Amino acid sequence: GAGVSQSPSNKVTEKGKDVELRCDPISGHTALYWYRQSLGQGLEFLIYFQGNSAPDKSGLPSDRFSAERTGGSVSTLTIQRTQQEDSAVYLCASSLSPGGYEQYFGPGTRLTVT
Amino acid sequence: RKEVEQDPGPFNVPEGATVAFNCTYSNSASQSFFWYRQDCRKEPKLLMSVYSSGNEDGRFTAQLNRASQYISLLIRDSKLSDSATYLCVVPRSGTYKYIFGTGTRLKVLA
C-alpha cells in the first residue's frame, strides 16, 4: 500500500520568506507527527496530531512555526519568515494509533534557507 | 540518565561478520520497542518491532532483556548494504511520544 508522502522533496527559499510543507499520511492512520532533523543530528519532535483532537505543539521552536491537519488526514507545516537556522530535513510520520504502534516515516522535505 | 541510550559507534566490521548493538532504556514500564535503519540523508525505515522477548527476521535478531532494561540488535553475515545508522525507539509509556536514541553507526567493510 501507499506509504507516507511528503512534498516538496526539496525546497530552497530566501531568508524571510514563508514556506509550506505537506504530509499525506498512510490511510487509516490517526496519529501524525512532524519531526526535524538537522545534518548529523537526531530527530527533534515538533508537533503531534491525533484524530480531531487538539494538537500537541509543545515541540515547535518558535511562533513562526505552525501546523494544521485537515479532515484528520493531510497535514501542512508552515514556517513564516524563515531563518537560516530553519534549514533541516522535515520528516512526517504516521502511526495507526498513538503510543506503542510502529511509526512510518515519509521521505522528508529538505529545506535550505539562503 | 537518558530515556534511551545507544553507543554512537561507529562499528566497523568486515563483510560476513556478526555484530550486535545494545540500547538501554530507563522506563521499566515500556512495552514496545523498535529498531529503525537510517541511511545517510534518508528517512528512518522500520527494521524490527519487539513486543515480547524478541523477534527474528532473516539475518536480524532483536532481543529484549526487561530485567536489565535493554534491547539488542544482532546482525549476522553482515553485508556492505547493512552500512547505516540504527536507531532504537521506545514509546514513552502512557503517552503518544516516541523517544529516539541517537543511533549507532555501522560500517561494513569489504
Side-chain angles (χ1 to χ4, degrees), chain B residues 64-98:
Chain B
L64 169 61
N65 185 317
R66 287 195 186 276
S68 300
Q69 292 183 211
Y70 73 84
I71 57 171
S72 62
L73 178 67
L74 181 81
I75 306 174
R76 289 180 295 277
D77 189 22
S78 300
K79 313 287 185 196
L80 293 175
S81 57
D82 294 334
S83 297
T85 296
Y86 290 84
L87 298 171
C88 172
V89 183
V90 183
R92 184 180 286 165
S93 184
T95 79
Y96 61 85
K97 282 199 170 173
Y98 293 76

PDB file of all heavy atoms in Angstrom, chain B residues 64-98:
ATOM      1  N   LEU B  64      15.027  -8.675  23.829  1.00  0.00           N
ATOM      2  CA  LEU B  64      14.646  -7.759  24.901  1.00  0.00           C
ATOM      3  C   LEU B  64      15.042  -8.375  26.231  1.00  0.00           C
ATOM      4  O   LEU B  64      14.729  -9.531  26.506  1.00  0.00           O
ATOM      5  CB  LEU B  64      13.134  -7.526  24.866  1.00  0.00           C
ATOM      6  CG  LEU B  64      12.501  -6.801  26.046  1.00  0.00           C
ATOM      7  CD1 LEU B  64      13.062  -5.391  26.197  1.00  0.00           C
ATOM      8  CD2 LEU B  64      10.984  -6.773  25.900  1.00  0.00           C
ATOM      9  N   ASN B  65      15.719  -7.600  27.034  1.00  0.00           N
ATOM     10  CA  ASN B  65      16.067  -8.022  28.392  1.00  0.00           C
ATOM     11  C   ASN B  65      15.417  -7.038  29.348  1.00  0.00           C
ATOM     12  O   ASN B  65      15.934  -5.948  29.593  1.00  0.00           O
ATOM     13  CB  ASN B  65      17.592  -8.038  28.570  1.00  0.00           C
ATOM     14  CG  ASN B  65      18.014  -8.585  29.927  1.00  0.00           C
ATOM     15  OD1 ASN B  65      17.426  -8.247  30.954  1.00  0.00           O
ATOM     16  ND2 ASN B  65      19.022  -9.423  29.934  1.00  0.00           N
ATOM     17  N   ARG B  66      14.255  -7.418  29.872  1.00  0.00           N
ATOM     18  CA  ARG B  66      13.496  -6.496  30.726  1.00  0.00           C
ATOM     19  C   ARG B  66      14.190  -6.282  32.072  1.00  0.00           C
ATOM     20  O   ARG B  66      14.138  -5.191  32.632  1.00  0.00           O
ATOM     21  CB  ARG B  66      12.088  -7.031  30.963  1.00  0.00           C
ATOM     22  CG  ARG B  66      11.183  -6.924  29.755  1.00  0.00           C
ATOM     23  CD  ARG B  66       9.722  -7.120  30.140  1.00  0.00           C
ATOM     24  NE  ARG B  66       8.874  -7.151  28.973  1.00  0.00           N
ATOM     25  CZ  ARG B  66       8.403  -6.056  28.371  1.00  0.00           C
ATOM     26  NH1 ARG B  66       8.712  -4.862  28.827  1.00  0.00           N
ATOM     27  NH2 ARG B  66       7.632  -6.158  27.308  1.00  0.00           N
ATOM     28  N   ALA B  67      14.823  -7.316  32.568  1.00  0.00           N
ATOM     29  CA  ALA B  67      15.463  -7.195  33.890  1.00  0.00           C
ATOM     30  C   ALA B  67      16.552  -6.133  33.867  1.00  0.00           C
ATOM     31  O   ALA B  67      16.695  -5.343  34.801  1.00  0.00           O
ATOM     32  CB  ALA B  67      16.024  -8.547  34.314  1.00  0.00           C
ATOM     33  N   SER B  68      17.324  -6.115  32.782  1.00  0.00           N
ATOM     34  CA  SER B  68      18.423  -5.149  32.677  1.00  0.00           C
ATOM     35  C   SER B  68      18.033  -3.937  31.838  1.00  0.00           C
ATOM     36  O   SER B  68      18.846  -3.025  31.648  1.00  0.00           O
ATOM     37  CB  SER B  68      19.653  -5.817  32.062  1.00  0.00           C
ATOM     38  OG  SER B  68      20.068  -6.902  32.868  1.00  0.00           O
ATOM     39  N   GLN B  69      16.821  -3.934  31.325  1.00  0.00           N
ATOM     40  CA  GLN B  69      16.284  -2.806  30.564  1.00  0.00           C
ATOM     41  C   GLN B  69      17.149  -2.448  29.363  1.00  0.00           C
ATOM     42  O   GLN B  69      17.626  -1.305  29.235  1.00  0.00           O
ATOM     43  CB  GLN B  69      16.040  -1.588  31.483  1.00  0.00           C
ATOM     44  CG  GLN B  69      14.915  -1.859  32.465  1.00  0.00           C
ATOM     45  CD  GLN B  69      14.575  -0.678  33.363  1.00  0.00           C
ATOM     46  OE1 GLN B  69      14.156  -0.850  34.491  1.00  0.00           O
ATOM     47  NE2 GLN B  69      14.757   0.529  32.880  1.00  0.00           N
ATOM     48  N   TYR B  70      17.347  -3.443  28.519  1.00  0.00           N
ATOM     49  CA  TYR B  70      17.977  -3.114  27.251  1.00  0.00           C
ATOM     50  C   TYR B  70      17.412  -4.003  26.157  1.00  0.00           C
ATOM     51  O   TYR B  70      16.879  -5.086  26.415  1.00  0.00           O
ATOM     52  CB  TYR B  70      19.507  -3.234  27.333  1.00  0.00           C
ATOM     53  CG  TYR B  70      20.066  -4.641  27.399  1.00  0.00           C
ATOM     54  CD1 TYR B  70      20.286  -5.388  26.231  1.00  0.00           C
ATOM     55  CD2 TYR B  70      20.379  -5.225  28.625  1.00  0.00           C
ATOM     56  CE1 TYR B  70      20.800  -6.671  26.299  1.00  0.00           C
ATOM     57  CE2 TYR B  70      20.900  -6.512  28.691  1.00  0.00           C
ATOM     58  CZ  TYR B  70      21.104  -7.228  27.529  1.00  0.00           C
ATOM     59  OH  TYR B  70      21.619  -8.502  27.583  1.00  0.00           O
ATOM     60  N   ILE B  71      17.522  -3.522  24.945  1.00  0.00           N
ATOM     61  CA  ILE B  71      17.239  -4.344  23.777  1.00  0.00           C
ATOM     62  C   ILE B  71      18.484  -4.378  22.918  1.00  0.00           C
ATOM     63  O   ILE B  71      19.274  -3.427  22.911  1.00  0.00           O
ATOM     64  CB  ILE B  71      16.034  -3.838  22.953  1.00  0.00           C
ATOM     65  CG1 ILE B  71      16.232  -2.390  22.499  1.00  0.00           C
ATOM     66  CG2 ILE B  71      14.747  -3.976  23.718  1.00  0.00           C
ATOM     67  CD1 ILE B  71      15.179  -1.936  21.507  1.00  0.00           C
ATOM     68  N   SER B  72      18.667  -5.474  22.247  1.00  0.00           N
ATOM     69  CA  SER B  72      19.837  -5.624  21.400  1.00  0.00           C
ATOM     70  C   SER B  72      19.394  -5.922  19.974  1.00  0.00           C
ATOM     71  O   SER B  72      18.279  -6.411  19.741  1.00  0.00           O
ATOM     72  CB  SER B  72      20.736  -6.747  21.929  1.00  0.00           C
ATOM     73  OG  SER B  72      20.036  -7.976  21.897  1.00  0.00           O
ATOM     74  N   LEU B  73      20.261  -5.587  19.046  1.00  0.00           N
ATOM     75  CA  LEU B  73      20.051  -5.926  17.645  1.00  0.00           C
ATOM     76  C   LEU B  73      21.283  -6.675  17.169  1.00  0.00           C
ATOM     77  O   LEU B  73      22.396  -6.166  17.279  1.00  0.00           O
ATOM     78  CB  LEU B  73      19.841  -4.673  16.793  1.00  0.00           C
ATOM     79  CG  LEU B  73      19.648  -4.915  15.301  1.00  0.00           C
ATOM     80  CD1 LEU B  73      18.331  -5.641  15.041  1.00  0.00           C
ATOM     81  CD2 LEU B  73      19.685  -3.607  14.523  1.00  0.00           C
ATOM     82  N   LEU B  74      21.071  -7.879  16.682  1.00  0.00           N
ATOM     83  CA  LEU B  74      22.159  -8.726  16.191  1.00  0.00           C
ATOM     84  C   LEU B  74      22.016  -8.854  14.684  1.00  0.00           C
ATOM     85  O   LEU B  74      20.929  -9.168  14.181  1.00  0.00           O
ATOM     86  CB  LEU B  74      22.073 -10.117  16.847  1.00  0.00           C
ATOM     87  CG  LEU B  74      23.144 -11.128  16.457  1.00  0.00           C
ATOM     88  CD1 LEU B  74      24.410 -10.865  17.251  1.00  0.00           C
ATOM     89  CD2 LEU B  74      22.663 -12.550  16.706  1.00  0.00           C
ATOM     90  N   ILE B  75      23.100  -8.595  13.988  1.00  0.00           N
ATOM     91  CA  ILE B  75      23.118  -8.753  12.533  1.00  0.00           C
ATOM     92  C   ILE B  75      24.145  -9.830  12.198  1.00  0.00           C
ATOM     93  O   ILE B  75      25.330  -9.684  12.520  1.00  0.00           O
ATOM     94  CB  ILE B  75      23.480  -7.435  11.813  1.00  0.00           C
ATOM     95  CG1 ILE B  75      22.554  -6.302  12.254  1.00  0.00           C
ATOM     96  CG2 ILE B  75      23.414  -7.624  10.306  1.00  0.00           C
ATOM     97  CD1 ILE B  75      22.934  -4.933  11.685  1.00  0.00           C
ATOM     98  N   ARG B  76      23.691 -10.883  11.576  1.00  0.00           N
ATOM     99  CA  ARG B  76      24.592 -11.971  11.175  1.00  0.00           C
ATOM    100  C   ARG B  76      24.975 -11.807   9.711  1.00  0.00           C
ATOM    101  O   ARG B  76      24.226 -11.229   8.911  1.00  0.00           O
ATOM    102  CB  ARG B  76      23.914 -13.328  11.361  1.00  0.00           C
ATOM    103  CG  ARG B  76      23.715 -13.750  12.811  1.00  0.00           C
ATOM    104  CD  ARG B  76      23.028 -15.115  12.895  1.00  0.00           C
ATOM    105  NE  ARG B  76      21.669 -15.047  12.369  1.00  0.00           N
ATOM    106  CZ  ARG B  76      20.623 -14.629  13.072  1.00  0.00           C
ATOM    107  NH1 ARG B  76      20.779 -14.259  14.327  1.00  0.00           N
ATOM    108  NH2 ARG B  76      19.425 -14.591  12.526  1.00  0.00           N
ATOM    109  N   ASP B  77      26.129 -12.341   9.353  1.00  0.00           N
ATOM    110  CA  ASP B  77      26.580 -12.331   7.959  1.00  0.00           C
ATOM    111  C   ASP B  77      26.419 -10.935   7.346  1.00  0.00           C
ATOM    112  O   ASP B  77      25.720 -10.746   6.347  1.00  0.00           O
ATOM    113  CB  ASP B  77      25.765 -13.369   7.160  1.00  0.00           C
ATOM    114  CG  ASP B  77      26.294 -13.580   5.762  1.00  0.00           C
ATOM    115  OD1 ASP B  77      27.485 -13.285   5.523  1.00  0.00           O
ATOM    116  OD2 ASP B  77      25.514 -14.012   4.891  1.00  0.00           O
ATOM    117  N   SER B  78      27.066  -9.967   7.957  1.00  0.00           N
ATOM    118  CA  SER B  78      26.926  -8.564   7.532  1.00  0.00           C
ATOM    119  C   SER B  78      27.207  -8.381   6.049  1.00  0.00           C
ATOM    120  O   SER B  78      28.142  -8.969   5.494  1.00  0.00           O
ATOM    121  CB  SER B  78      27.896  -7.690   8.329  1.00  0.00           C
ATOM    122  OG  SER B  78      27.649  -7.769   9.695  1.00  0.00           O
ATOM    123  N   LYS B  79      26.402  -7.533   5.433  1.00  0.00           N
ATOM    124  CA  LYS B  79      26.571  -7.157   4.028  1.00  0.00           C
ATOM    125  C   LYS B  79      26.993  -5.696   3.955  1.00  0.00           C
ATOM    126  O   LYS B  79      26.699  -4.913   4.856  1.00  0.00           O
ATOM    127  CB  LYS B  79      25.250  -7.320   3.260  1.00  0.00           C
ATOM    128  CG  LYS B  79      24.512  -8.630   3.477  1.00  0.00           C
ATOM    129  CD  LYS B  79      25.199  -9.767   2.803  1.00  0.00           C
ATOM    130  CE  LYS B  79      24.371 -11.050   2.944  1.00  0.00           C
ATOM    131  NZ  LYS B  79      25.189 -12.247   2.621  1.00  0.00           N
ATOM    132  N   LEU B  80      27.632  -5.345   2.848  1.00  0.00           N
ATOM    133  CA  LEU B  80      28.001  -3.944   2.647  1.00  0.00           C
ATOM    134  C   LEU B  80      26.764  -3.054   2.760  1.00  0.00           C
ATOM    135  O   LEU B  80      26.828  -1.930   3.282  1.00  0.00           O
ATOM    136  CB  LEU B  80      28.660  -3.751   1.281  1.00  0.00           C
ATOM    137  CG  LEU B  80      30.007  -4.404   1.076  1.00  0.00           C
ATOM    138  CD1 LEU B  80      30.473  -4.219  -0.377  1.00  0.00           C
ATOM    139  CD2 LEU B  80      31.052  -3.846   2.032  1.00  0.00           C
ATOM    140  N   SER B  81      25.636  -3.564   2.275  1.00  0.00           N
ATOM    141  CA  SER B  81      24.401  -2.777   2.266  1.00  0.00           C
ATOM    142  C   SER B  81      23.801  -2.578   3.667  1.00  0.00           C
ATOM    143  O   SER B  81      22.843  -1.818   3.816  1.00  0.00           O
ATOM    144  CB  SER B  81      23.362  -3.455   1.365  1.00  0.00           C
ATOM    145  OG  SER B  81      23.125  -4.788   1.790  1.00  0.00           O
ATOM    146  N   ASP B  82      24.354  -3.256   4.662  1.00  0.00           N
ATOM    147  CA  ASP B  82      23.879  -3.042   6.037  1.00  0.00           C
ATOM    148  C   ASP B  82      24.459  -1.760   6.636  1.00  0.00           C
ATOM    149  O   ASP B  82      24.039  -1.329   7.718  1.00  0.00           O
ATOM    150  CB  ASP B  82      24.262  -4.228   6.938  1.00  0.00           C
ATOM    151  CG  ASP B  82      23.555  -5.513   6.557  1.00  0.00           C
ATOM    152  OD1 ASP B  82      22.453  -5.447   5.971  1.00  0.00           O
ATOM    153  OD2 ASP B  82      24.117  -6.598   6.837  1.00  0.00           O
ATOM    154  N   SER B  83      25.414  -1.163   5.967  1.00  0.00           N
ATOM    155  CA  SER B  83      26.019   0.080   6.465  1.00  0.00           C
ATOM    156  C   SER B  83      24.951   1.159   6.566  1.00  0.00           C
ATOM    157  O   SER B  83      24.294   1.492   5.571  1.00  0.00           O
ATOM    158  CB  SER B  83      27.134   0.543   5.537  1.00  0.00           C
ATOM    159  OG  SER B  83      28.176  -0.398   5.484  1.00  0.00           O
ATOM    160  N   ALA B  84      24.756   1.677   7.762  1.00  0.00           N
ATOM    161  CA  ALA B  84      23.682   2.642   8.028  1.00  0.00           C
ATOM    162  C   ALA B  84      23.783   3.041   9.498  1.00  0.00           C
ATOM    163  O   ALA B  84      24.640   2.547  10.233  1.00  0.00           O
ATOM    164  CB  ALA B  84      22.312   2.031   7.748  1.00  0.00           C
ATOM    165  N   THR B  85      22.882   3.913   9.907  1.00  0.00           N
ATOM    166  CA  THR B  85      22.711   4.224  11.329  1.00  0.00           C
ATOM    167  C   THR B  85      21.479   3.493  11.825  1.00  0.00           C
ATOM    168  O   THR B  85      20.433   3.523  11.166  1.00  0.00           O
ATOM    169  CB  THR B  85      22.561   5.742  11.545  1.00  0.00           C
ATOM    170  OG1 THR B  85      23.777   6.384  11.157  1.00  0.00           O
ATOM    171  CG2 THR B  85      22.281   6.057  13.010  1.00  0.00           C
ATOM    172  N   TYR B  86      21.595   2.829  12.975  1.00  0.00           N
ATOM    173  CA  TYR B  86      20.491   2.058  13.534  1.00  0.00           C
ATOM    174  C   TYR B  86      19.941   2.791  14.757  1.00  0.00           C
ATOM    175  O   TYR B  86      20.667   3.055  15.719  1.00  0.00           O
ATOM    176  CB  TYR B  86      20.963   0.639  13.869  1.00  0.00           C
ATOM    177  CG  TYR B  86      21.240  -0.133  12.604  1.00  0.00           C
ATOM    178  CD1 TYR B  86      22.470  -0.016  11.949  1.00  0.00           C
ATOM    179  CD2 TYR B  86      20.262  -0.936  12.022  1.00  0.00           C
ATOM    180  CE1 TYR B  86      22.715  -0.679  10.754  1.00  0.00           C
ATOM    181  CE2 TYR B  86      20.495  -1.608  10.831  1.00  0.00           C
ATOM    182  CZ  TYR B  86      21.718  -1.466  10.198  1.00  0.00           C
ATOM    183  OH  TYR B  86      21.956  -2.128   9.003  1.00  0.00           O
ATOM    184  N   LEU B  87      18.682   3.144  14.666  1.00  0.00           N
ATOM    185  CA  LEU B  87      18.023   3.919  15.709  1.00  0.00           C
ATOM    186  C   LEU B  87      17.165   3.019  16.584  1.00  0.00           C
ATOM    187  O   LEU B  87      16.380   2.219  16.079  1.00  0.00           O
ATOM    188  CB  LEU B  87      17.103   4.981  15.088  1.00  0.00           C
ATOM    189  CG  LEU B  87      17.740   6.049  14.211  1.00  0.00           C
ATOM    190  CD1 LEU B  87      16.665   6.864  13.520  1.00  0.00           C
ATOM    191  CD2 LEU B  87      18.626   6.954  15.042  1.00  0.00           C
ATOM    192  N   CYS B  88      17.302   3.188  17.875  1.00  0.00           N
ATOM    193  CA  CYS B  88      16.460   2.499  18.848  1.00  0.00           C
ATOM    194  C   CYS B  88      15.351   3.476  19.241  1.00  0.00           C
ATOM    195  O   CYS B  88      15.639   4.647  19.529  1.00  0.00           O
ATOM    196  CB  CYS B  88      17.332   2.134  20.047  1.00  0.00           C
ATOM    197  SG  CYS B  88      16.449   1.469  21.459  1.00  0.00           S
ATOM    198  N   VAL B  89      14.110   3.019  19.218  1.00  0.00           N
ATOM    199  CA  VAL B  89      12.978   3.898  19.513  1.00  0.00           C
ATOM    200  C   VAL B  89      12.084   3.237  20.545  1.00  0.00           C
ATOM    201  O   VAL B  89      11.693   2.077  20.381  1.00  0.00           O
ATOM    202  CB  VAL B  89      12.167   4.203  18.234  1.00  0.00           C
ATOM    203  CG1 VAL B  89      11.031   5.168  18.542  1.00  0.00           C
ATOM    204  CG2 VAL B  89      13.075   4.782  17.160  1.00  0.00           C
ATOM    205  N   VAL B  90      11.762   3.984  21.584  1.00  0.00           N
ATOM    206  CA  VAL B  90      10.924   3.447  22.665  1.00  0.00           C
ATOM    207  C   VAL B  90       9.779   4.411  22.911  1.00  0.00           C
ATOM    208  O   VAL B  90      10.020   5.570  23.282  1.00  0.00           O
ATOM    209  CB  VAL B  90      11.747   3.272  23.961  1.00  0.00           C
ATOM    210  CG1 VAL B  90      10.880   2.646  25.056  1.00  0.00           C
ATOM    211  CG2 VAL B  90      12.987   2.432  23.704  1.00  0.00           C
ATOM    212  N   PRO B  91       8.541   3.982  22.703  1.00  0.00           N
ATOM    213  CA  PRO B  91       7.416   4.859  23.043  1.00  0.00           C
ATOM    214  C   PRO B  91       7.413   5.126  24.542  1.00  0.00           C
ATOM    215  O   PRO B  91       7.631   4.209  25.345  1.00  0.00           O
ATOM    216  CB  PRO B  91       6.189   4.050  22.622  1.00  0.00           C
ATOM    217  CG  PRO B  91       6.696   3.046  21.646  1.00  0.00           C
ATOM    218  CD  PRO B  91       8.095   2.729  22.092  1.00  0.00           C
ATOM    219  N   ARG B  92       7.170   6.385  24.906  1.00  0.00           N
ATOM    220  CA  ARG B  92       7.091   6.725  26.324  1.00  0.00           C
ATOM    221  C   ARG B  92       5.773   6.207  26.857  1.00  0.00           C
ATOM    222  O   ARG B  92       4.705   6.629  26.411  1.00  0.00           O
ATOM    223  CB  ARG B  92       7.213   8.235  26.520  1.00  0.00           C
ATOM    224  CG  ARG B  92       7.242   8.662  27.978  1.00  0.00           C
ATOM    225  CD  ARG B  92       7.371  10.158  28.095  1.00  0.00           C
ATOM    226  NE  ARG B  92       8.704  10.628  27.771  1.00  0.00           N
ATOM    227  CZ  ARG B  92       9.006  11.895  27.512  1.00  0.00           C
ATOM    228  NH1 ARG B  92       8.056  12.805  27.518  1.00  0.00           N
ATOM    229  NH2 ARG B  92      10.240  12.252  27.234  1.00  0.00           N
ATOM    230  N   SER B  93       5.847   5.309  27.815  1.00  0.00           N
ATOM    231  CA  SER B  93       4.675   4.612  28.317  1.00  0.00           C
ATOM    232  C   SER B  93       3.575   5.573  28.759  1.00  0.00           C
ATOM    233  O   SER B  93       3.843   6.558  29.437  1.00  0.00           O
ATOM    234  CB  SER B  93       5.093   3.728  29.508  1.00  0.00           C
ATOM    235  OG  SER B  93       4.005   2.973  29.961  1.00  0.00           O
ATOM    236  N   GLY B  94       2.358   5.311  28.322  1.00  0.00           N
ATOM    237  CA  GLY B  94       1.217   6.128  28.721  1.00  0.00           C
ATOM    238  C   GLY B  94       1.069   7.417  27.939  1.00  0.00           C
ATOM    239  O   GLY B  94       0.171   8.199  28.222  1.00  0.00           O
ATOM    240  N   THR B  95       1.938   7.642  26.983  1.00  0.00           N
ATOM    241  CA  THR B  95       1.862   8.858  26.167  1.00  0.00           C
ATOM    242  C   THR B  95       1.927   8.475  24.698  1.00  0.00           C
ATOM    243  O   THR B  95       2.093   7.310  24.349  1.00  0.00           O
ATOM    244  CB  THR B  95       3.009   9.842  26.465  1.00  0.00           C
ATOM    245  OG1 THR B  95       4.204   9.398  25.808  1.00  0.00           O
ATOM    246  CG2 THR B  95       3.264   9.965  27.955  1.00  0.00           C
ATOM    247  N   TYR B  96       1.828   9.486  23.872  1.00  0.00           N
ATOM    248  CA  TYR B  96       1.937   9.261  22.438  1.00  0.00           C
ATOM    249  C   TYR B  96       3.363   9.453  21.925  1.00  0.00           C
ATOM    250  O   TYR B  96       3.643   9.284  20.753  1.00  0.00           O
ATOM    251  CB  TYR B  96       1.032  10.252  21.696  1.00  0.00           C
ATOM    252  CG  TYR B  96       1.438  11.665  21.985  1.00  0.00           C
ATOM    253  CD1 TYR B  96       2.451  12.264  21.251  1.00  0.00           C
ATOM    254  CD2 TYR B  96       0.858  12.392  23.020  1.00  0.00           C
ATOM    255  CE1 TYR B  96       2.871  13.546  21.534  1.00  0.00           C
ATOM    256  CE2 TYR B  96       1.269  13.673  23.308  1.00  0.00           C
ATOM    257  CZ  TYR B  96       2.278  14.250  22.568  1.00  0.00           C
ATOM    258  OH  TYR B  96       2.697  15.510  22.858  1.00  0.00           O
ATOM    259  N   LYS B  97       4.266   9.878  22.807  1.00  0.00           N
ATOM    260  CA  LYS B  97       5.605  10.280  22.347  1.00  0.00           C
ATOM    261  C   LYS B  97       6.522   9.071  22.131  1.00  0.00           C
ATOM    262  O   LYS B  97       6.470   8.092  22.868  1.00  0.00           O
ATOM    263  CB  LYS B  97       6.246  11.232  23.360  1.00  0.00           C
ATOM    264  CG  LYS B  97       5.709  12.626  23.256  1.00  0.00           C
ATOM    265  CD  LYS B  97       6.605  13.649  23.902  1.00  0.00           C
ATOM    266  CE  LYS B  97       6.115  15.045  23.544  1.00  0.00           C
ATOM    267  NZ  LYS B  97       6.832  16.105  24.253  1.00  0.00           N
ATOM    268  N   TYR B  98       7.329   9.190  21.120  1.00  0.00           N
ATOM    269  CA  TYR B  98       8.348   8.189  20.823  1.00  0.00           C
ATOM    270  C   TYR B  98       9.707   8.803  21.163  1.00  0.00           C
ATOM    271  O   TYR B  98      10.017   9.904  20.723  1.00  0.00           O
ATOM    272  CB  TYR B  98       8.313   7.797  19.343  1.00  0.00           C
ATOM    273  CG  TYR B  98       7.064   7.052  18.946  1.00  0.00           C
ATOM    274  CD1 TYR B  98       5.867   7.726  18.768  1.00  0.00           C
ATOM    275  CD2 TYR B  98       7.085   5.675  18.761  1.00  0.00           C
ATOM    276  CE1 TYR B  98       4.719   7.046  18.412  1.00  0.00           C
ATOM    277  CE2 TYR B  98       5.938   4.988  18.390  1.00  0.00           C
ATOM    278  CZ  TYR B  98       4.762   5.678  18.227  1.00  0.00           C
ATOM    279  OH  TYR B  98       3.624   5.000  17.876  1.00  0.00           O
TER     280      TYR B  98
END
